[in-house]
């Protein structure tokens, strides 16, 4: 994972530079220490200028990636790409950001489990329409005891040991 992230950063850096800028970067350590900071800013300005020029010429070209794009509705469909992105971001995150990313991943995993459970209930409702209690899939659980509900939640990997109280 770390190697992939490094390749992405290197690809970005090499795309938005040219030989002249690379030569200036090599020259930087040879300049007097008092002048290096101004020279570094000059190099960054040249990179910005080169980047803007490059992007004007290549307005519709895909710059990076494998052709996959994140879904704008990642809570509904397959969110594997989003999970992969979050994993990549973890290696560059501080402790606070890491906690937020982990929370997002856990929330998305919980939503996926809930979606799978609802799909299974719907499938059972289609297989046994007369025994599923009508249009509300949650009616399936209406006659269960607290222990029965707890076992259903455990079966689907929920951290909850008891059903929600109404």
């Amino acid at each position: 994972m770390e190697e992939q992230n490094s390749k992405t950063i290197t690809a970005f850096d090499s795309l938005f530079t040219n030989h002249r800028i690379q030569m200036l970067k090599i020259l930087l350590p040879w300049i007097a220490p008092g002048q290096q900071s101004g020279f570094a800013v000059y190099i960054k300005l040249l990179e910005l200028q080169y980047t803007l020029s490059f992007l004007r010429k290549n307005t519709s070209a895909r710059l990076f990636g494998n052709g996959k794009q994140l879904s704008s509705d990642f809570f509904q469909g397959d969110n594997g790409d989003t999970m992969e992105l979050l994993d990549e971001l973890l290696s560059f995150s501080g402790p606070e950001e890491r906690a937020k990313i982990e929370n997002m991943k856990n929330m998305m995993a919980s939503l996926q489990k809930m979606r799978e459970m609802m799909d299974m209930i719907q499938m059972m409702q289609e297989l046994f329409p007369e025994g599923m209690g009508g249009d509300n899939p949650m009616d399936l659980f209406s006659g269960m005891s607290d222990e029965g509900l707890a076992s259903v939640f455990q079966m689907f990997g929920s951290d909850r040991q008891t059903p929600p109280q109404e």
Side-chain angles (χ1 to χ4, degrees):
M1 185 72 66
E2 191 92 19
E3 183 180 317
Q4 177 63 30
N5 292 338
S6 179
K7 286 180 182 179
T8 301
I9 293 169
T10 301
F12 178 87
D13 289 341
S14 65
L15 182 63
F16 295 114
T17 194
N18 60 25
H19 294 295
R20 180 174 169 231
I21 295 171
Q22 290 171 337
M23 289 170 52
L24 293 174
K25 288 179 180 182
I26 291 170
L27 179 61
L28 182 65
W30 295 85
I31 295 177
Q35 298 173 336
Q36 286 182 352
S37 59
F39 200 68
V41 170
Y42 175 68
I43 290 171
K44 287 296 180 187
L45 287 172
L46 287 176
E47 284 182 322
L48 177 60
Q49 182 182 34
Y50 180 80
T51 301
L52 291 172
S53 172
F54 179 88
L55 293 175
R56 274 190 215 110
K57 292 176 189 171
N58 300 291
T59 57
S60 61
R62 182 170 186 89
L63 301 175
F64 298 101
N66 52 11
K68 294 190 281 184
Q69 290 181 288
L70 291 177
S71 168
S72 61
D73 193 12
F74 60 83
F75 286 114
Q76 294 298 322
D78 179 24
N79 56 17
D81 289 344
T82 304
M83 295 294 259
E84 187 177 326
L85 171 64
L86 292 174
D87 285 336
E88 286 185 39
L89 292 174
L90 278 173
S91 61
F92 295 99
S93 303
E96 196 172 306
E97 293 166 326
R98 186 180 274 303
K100 288 178 182 177
I101 290 172
E102 290 294 345
N103 284 341
M104 288 175 62
K105 288 176 57 180
N106 290 337
M107 179 184 66
M108 290 172 66
S110 295
L111 287 171
Q112 180 65 29
K113 286 180 184 178
M114 185 182 294
R115 210 174 13 253
E116 289 169 2
M117 186 172 89
M118 294 305 290
D119 288 345
M120 181 181 290
I121 290 171
Q122 184 177 3
M123 179 185 69
M124 289 173 66
Q125 192 174 27
E126 289 170 2
L127 289 173
F128 309 105
E130 64 282 347
M132 291 298 288
D135 292 332
N136 184 357
M138 296 312 284
D139 288 345
L140 170 70
F141 301 117
S142 64
M144 285 190 177
S145 66
D146 285 352
E147 293 81 22
L149 282 174
S151 65
V152 168
F153 284 113
Q154 282 180 328
M155 181 173 71
F156 289 104
S158 175
D159 293 334
R160 299 178 76 126
Q161 295 300 314
T162 58
Q165 300 298 318
E166 292 184 20

